[in-house]
């Protein structure tokens, strides 16, 4: 029986790989037909060039859109590698690299939800490449799949205490490149503090400490190489919520963008701060509760969605986390929710809403406002569903036995 099953697996795998490669080829041709510019990739390249030339990094305005750098200085250090190939070659490498990262990300997502079939990686990747966040990530030459893979590579290994000496390194590096993933170490810290009541907080606290160490190391390295730019970023640029663009832009699917459009103002101010504080607390509470009940997949996805909601700006391409969210809902029997979530992120709805010059997002009608909030709405509904789906708490004696075995 085992030999027959193994033989069947070997036959199915080439079919899955072939289907995925065919989907990727069609995707590549579609991107070329759409004349994608990979504008963000060109900004990254300009940042790397500025670092190599010793220029003022955060005074830079790149491409014809005059886009500013928005990431921490450590990211700019990494971007110096992008100045080596020519622009055409760089675009090709970025597309191929993002498609490879998608496969890795899907593999880690399936591992997170406990699905081990290798051929499933290729089938899921063949479909996931067409969802709007992935399409736009590749279109702009963004780093979202890299950051998500770093986070999942760190957190999908298993329960706390089984991650080895490098636990936290992926989280720390991701946060040093872009600030949004910093909520994951905060989640580990909160879990560790909550677990200390039962005398078992050590694994999470060590994991959080590893992330903080990696973040500090990368940030200090950047400070040594780029002292002026580091000082300017950490004392000024990092605290400008509008540095990435207009908050009311339809592509901004964070709560700040939703509230800006609803209130027809570019600055929702105190209302946004109050809503973000509530969502941050509730979202982290769901993630911590899930982690303490050995529901790591629910915990990671809840933390990711919370980070996207409370960030000042979460462009549609940041929502690549829809991939593990859909897989989690499907594998946990929430089939209707999984299909609904997949349809939202494959619908390209934000593109339907008026956007562009003249800031039309400040004058949206009721139906347009509803459509412009679908990603954030799906994220909020997921947090509610995650809370309702958590397993019952384990008896404290069983929890202590589990930690002892680890």
């Amino acid at each position: 029986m085992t030999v027959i099953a193994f033989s069947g697996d070997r036959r199915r795998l080439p079919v899955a790989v072939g289907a995925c490669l065919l989907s990727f080829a069609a995707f590549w041709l579609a991107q070329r037909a759409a004349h994608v510019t990979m504008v963000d990739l060109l900004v990254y390249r300009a940042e790397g060039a500025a670092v190599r030339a010793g220029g003022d990094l955060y005074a830079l305005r790149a491409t014809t859109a005059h886009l500013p750098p928005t990431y921490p200085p450590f990211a700019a250090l990494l971007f110096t590698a992008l100045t080596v190939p020519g622009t055409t070659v760089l675009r090709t490498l970025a597309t191929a690299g993002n498609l490879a990262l998608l496969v890795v990300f899907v593999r880690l997502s399936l591992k997170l939800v406990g699905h081990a079939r290798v051929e499933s990686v290729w089938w899921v990747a063949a479909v996931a490449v067409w969802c709007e966040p992935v399409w736009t990530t590749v279109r702009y030459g963004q780093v979202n799949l890299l950051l998500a893979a770093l986070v999942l590579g760190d957190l999908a290994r298993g329960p706390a205490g089984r991650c080895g000496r490098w636990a936290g390194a992926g989280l720390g590096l991701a946060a040093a490149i872009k600030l949004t993933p910093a909520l994951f170490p905060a989640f580990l810290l909160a879990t560790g503090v909550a677990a200390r009541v039962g005398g078992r907080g050590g694994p999470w606290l060590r994991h959080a400490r590893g992330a903080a160490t990696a973040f500090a190391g990368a940030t200090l390295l950047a400070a040594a190489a780029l002292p002026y730019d580091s000082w300017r970023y950490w004392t000024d640029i990092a605290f400008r919520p509008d540095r990435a663009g207009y908050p009311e832009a339809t592509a901004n699917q964070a709560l700040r963008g939703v509230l800006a459009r609803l209130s027809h103002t570019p600055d929702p101010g105190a209302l946004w701060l109050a809503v973000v504080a509530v969502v941050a607390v509730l979202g982290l509470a769901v993630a911590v509760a899930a982690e303490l009940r050995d529901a790591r997949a629910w915990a990671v996805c809840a933390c990711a969605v919370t980070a996207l909601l409370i960030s000042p700006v979460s462009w549609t391409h940041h929502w690549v986390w829809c991939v593990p969210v859909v897989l989690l809902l499907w594998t946990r029997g929430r089939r209707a929710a999984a299909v609904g979530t997949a349809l939202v992120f494959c619908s390209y709805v934000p593109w339907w809403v008026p956007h562009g010059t003249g800031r039309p997002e400040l004058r949206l009608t009721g139906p347009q406002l509803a459509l412009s909030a679908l990603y954030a709405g799906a994220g909020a509904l997921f947090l509610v569903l995650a809370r309702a789906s958590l397993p019952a708490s384990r008896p404290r004696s069983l929890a202590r036995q589990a930690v002892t075995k680890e």
Side-chain angles (χ1 to χ4, degrees):
M1 294 293 291
T2 302
V3 174
I4 294 174
F6 181 69
S7 179
D9 288 343
R10 292 190 64 179
R11 286 195 298 268
R12 289 193 296 266
L13 182 57
V15 174
V17 173
C20 183
L21 293 179
L22 184 62
S23 178
F24 282 6
F27 176 89
W28 198 313
L29 292 174
Q31 290 261 316
R32 287 179 64 87
H35 302 292
V36 297
T37 61
M38 294 194 171
V39 62
D40 288 348
L41 178 66
L42 298 183
V43 175
Y44 301 157
R45 190 174 193 270
E47 290 182 44
V51 170
R52 292 186 63 178
D56 186 342
L57 178 61
Y58 294 104
L60 173 70
R61 295 298 179 269
T63 75
T64 56
H66 303 288
L67 298 174
T70 59
Y71 295 175
F74 179 68
L77 282 183
L78 300 180
F79 293 154
T80 57
L82 303 180
T83 63
V84 177
T87 303
T88 301
V89 174
L90 181 62
R91 286 189 175 116
T92 301
L93 292 175
T95 301
N98 263 323
L99 292 177
L101 281 169
L102 175 61
V103 175
V104 173
F105 182 49
V106 169
R107 174 70 184 93
L108 292 170
S109 299
L110 287 168
K111 182 178 180 181
L112 178 72
V113 302
H115 190 87
R117 287 187 178 179
V118 177
E119 67 269 17
S120 297
V121 175
W122 300 97
W123 286 117
V124 172
V127 176
V129 73
W130 296 98
C131 75
E132 191 274 340
V134 174
W135 168 278
T136 313
T137 288
V138 182
R139 175 191 182 189
Y140 292 143
Q142 264 283 344
V143 296
N144 305 302
L145 290 169
L146 172 63
L147 299 179
L150 284 172
V151 170
L152 275 191
D154 205 325
L155 292 174
R157 300 178 187 179
R162 295 184 182 176
C163 296
R165 67 173 64 183
W166 296 104
L171 297 178
L173 289 176
I177 295 171
K178 190 171 184 176
L179 292 180
T180 306
L183 190 66
F184 287 96
F187 145 70
L188 291 172
L189 177 62
T191 305
V193 171
R196 290 187 69 177
V197 176
R200 57 190 187 104
W204 292 284
L205 295 177
R206 286 194 297 272
H207 203 157
R209 186 163 57 246
T213 300
F215 173 81
T219 301
L220 290 174
L221 174 63
L226 304 169
Y228 172 74
D229 294 321
S230 294
W231 173 261
R232 186 176 177 192
Y233 181 84
W234 294 110
T235 61
D236 180 21
I237 304 297
F239 301 99
R240 295 185 185 179
D242 59 344
R243 67 187 185 275
Y246 295 131
E248 78 276 3
T250 307
N252 183 12
Q253 291 295 307
L255 289 172
R256 185 166 181 252
V258 173
L259 293 174
R261 293 188 291 272
L262 285 173
S263 59
H264 303 289
T265 174
D267 184 14
L271 174 62
W272 170 61
L273 294 176
V275 172
V276 159
V278 172
V279 172
V281 171
L282 294 179
L284 277 178
V286 172
V288 170
E291 181 71 6
L292 291 177
R293 299 179 191 187
D294 288 337
R296 169 61 65 89
W298 288 107
V300 171
C301 289
C303 186
V305 168
T306 301
L308 290 167
L309 290 174
I310 68 175
S311 174
V313 174
S314 290
W315 302 124
T316 59
H317 51 77
H318 295 169
W319 286 81
V320 293
W321 284 95
C322 66
V323 174
V325 165
V326 170
L327 291 174
L328 174 62
L329 292 171
W330 183 267
T331 56
R332 296 306 186 270
R334 302 282 188 170
R335 300 296 172 85
V339 171
T341 303
L343 289 176
V344 166
F345 288 101
C346 290
S347 66
Y348 292 67
V349 161
W351 295 20
W352 305 358
V353 180
H355 59 279
T357 58
R359 306 176 75 173
E361 293 94 335
L362 294 174
R363 302 180 297 277
L364 298 180
T365 63
Q368 292 170 341
L369 287 170
L371 290 175
S372 74
L374 275 189
Y375 285 17
L381 288 175
F382 171 77
L383 291 180
V384 173
L385 188 57
R387 182 63 186 89
S389 302
L390 294 185
S393 299
R394 293 185 303 168
R396 182 172 297 182
S397 60
L398 293 179
R400 287 179 177 173
Q401 290 175 19
V403 174
T404 301
K405 292 179 181 178
E406 292 175 4

